[in-house]
Amino acid sequence: MTVLTQSNCLATGTLVEIAKAKGQDHLLAISGRTNLPEAVTDVIVDRGERKVIRRLADNASARFSDTGYKRMVAHAESDDELTEILGLRSDLPMNFLRDLLQRATEAVRARLARIAPPELQEEIQRVLKTIASKARSELSPARDFSRAEAVVRRMKGLNELNDAAIAGFAEANRFDEVAASLGILNNSAPTDMMARLLEGLRADLILIPCKSAGLNWTTVEAILCHRPIKRRIDDATLKLAMRDYGKLSPETAERTLRFWLLHSKIE
């Protein structure tokens, strides 16, 4: 078997024939060869059992075709050790890394993110964020704000969309309408963005669209005190928010909101 692993006299065609005809011990020996070409690894991936596939995946100098990588990733679905080995290959194409991590368990994903070398860390983290974002979107389908937006547009047309109306929405826990109100008063900013702000952890970010919309502090206080989150705002935070709201200029709020809209992110 040493000859199969180390000999430089064996041509690619010979290795392919051996890999096609011989058993797992022979495949295991060939899997450890340096600079294995795709023609050979394709056969091994097709015929090899778990021990063989793991050794082949751990062979940093082995080269794989797209078909070979696809089959390796399929093997990894039921093999956490193989998933880790493949995930640490610097030559694994991005589409296969994405597929590999998509199939992996949470424990394996966490371990890969922790033990990967620096050159792979960024790619793995980016793929994991994409997977998490996709999972959230699938679990949380887009909300329908059309009814709330219709109510608010009608009130705006009748000149009834004022501080008292918005405070009333907040006190009645009608936060779809609060979000729609902030959206329409801020040059038709997306209602879902306003909803994310209202339902987020940071009370200070809510001050931005409120100031830009020209709401008075009483209305903002009603929004902060009634917004739909588990942990209600405490007196100290509310007092700090009132001070910050007084200092915040409409121009700064409008500029910040424009930045959010331009870059599609809240900071």
Side-chain angles (χ1 to χ4, degrees):
M1 296 300 177
T2 303
V3 173
L4 289 177
T5 302
Q6 299 179 0
S7 174
N8 295 322
C9 298
L10 296 174
T12 296
T14 302
L15 290 171
V16 169
E17 291 304 316
I18 294 173
K20 286 181 177 179
K22 298 297 184 177
Q24 296 301 309
D25 288 343
H26 288 75
L27 293 178
L28 184 65
I30 296 172
S31 296
R33 288 180 65 88
T34 302
N35 298 320
L36 272 176
E38 296 175 1
V40 180
T41 59
D42 277 350
V43 178
I44 298 175
V45 172
D46 190 45
R47 297 192 62 233
E49 295 177 356
R50 177 168 292 189
K51 186 177 179 180
V52 172
I53 298 298
R54 285 178 178 175
R55 188 180 190 191
L56 182 62
D58 206 26
N59 184 342
S61 66
R63 299 190 298 276
F64 297 90
S65 66
D66 283 354
T67 299
Y69 269 130
K70 184 176 181 180
R71 289 175 179 169
M72 292 279 274
V73 170
H75 280 297
E77 188 165 10
S78 58
D79 187 344
D80 287 353
E81 183 176 336
L82 179 57
T83 299
E84 290 187 15
I85 295 170
L86 281 174
L88 295 175
R89 287 191 66 99
S90 60
D91 60 345
L92 183 67
M94 180 54 57
N95 58 316
F96 292 114
L97 176 61
R98 188 179 301 113
D99 192 14
L100 183 74
L101 293 175
Q102 184 74 53
R103 299 167 184 248
T105 64
E106 289 295 335
V108 173
R109 290 175 183 175
R111 178 168 168 75
L112 274 173
R114 186 172 66 253
I115 68 175
E119 62 269 21
L120 288 177
Q121 280 281 353
E122 184 176 347
E123 293 295 343
I124 289 176
Q125 291 290 353
R126 187 171 68 82
V127 171
L128 290 178
K129 286 180 180 179
T130 301
I131 291 172
S133 177
K134 181 179 179 182
R136 285 194 298 270
S137 66
E138 290 175 349
L139 290 173
S140 304
R143 286 161 61 182
D144 183 5
F145 293 102
S146 58
R147 185 196 61 79
E149 290 169 345
V151 169
V152 168
R153 280 196 298 269
R154 184 168 62 253
M155 293 178 67
K156 181 74 162 52
L158 295 171
N159 293 320
E160 294 177 354
L161 189 62
N162 51 31
D163 279 279
I166 297 171
F169 286 145
E171 290 164 0
N173 294 313
R174 294 174 61 181
F175 273 84
D176 281 3
E177 282 83 356
V178 175
S181 298
L182 288 175
I184 197 170
L185 291 175
N186 281 292
N187 299 313
S188 297
T191 301
D192 63 336
M193 174 184 279
M194 298 300 107
R196 291 199 304 274
L197 286 168
L198 293 168
E199 296 166 8
L201 296 176
R202 293 182 56 180
D204 59 319
L205 295 182
I206 299 172
L207 305 182
I208 301 296
C210 289
K211 176 64 76 167
S212 180
L215 302 184
N216 63 41
W217 170 249
T218 302
T219 303
V220 178
E221 183 178 23
I223 292 172
L224 294 177
C225 289
H226 292 88
R227 67 195 186 101
I229 59 173
K230 291 182 179 179
R231 186 176 179 179
R232 297 292 182 178
I233 191 168
D234 57 72
D235 290 341
T237 304
L238 188 62
K239 185 176 181 180
L240 181 62
M242 180 175 65
R243 187 197 69 185
D244 290 343
Y245 196 68
K247 292 182 177 180
L248 180 63
S249 71
E251 293 76 18
T252 298
E254 290 169 6
R255 187 165 58 250
T256 303
L257 189 56
R258 284 198 301 271
F259 176 84
W260 290 348
L261 293 170
L262 180 63
H263 295 276
S264 299
K265 63 180 180 180
I266 300 168
E267 293 183 344

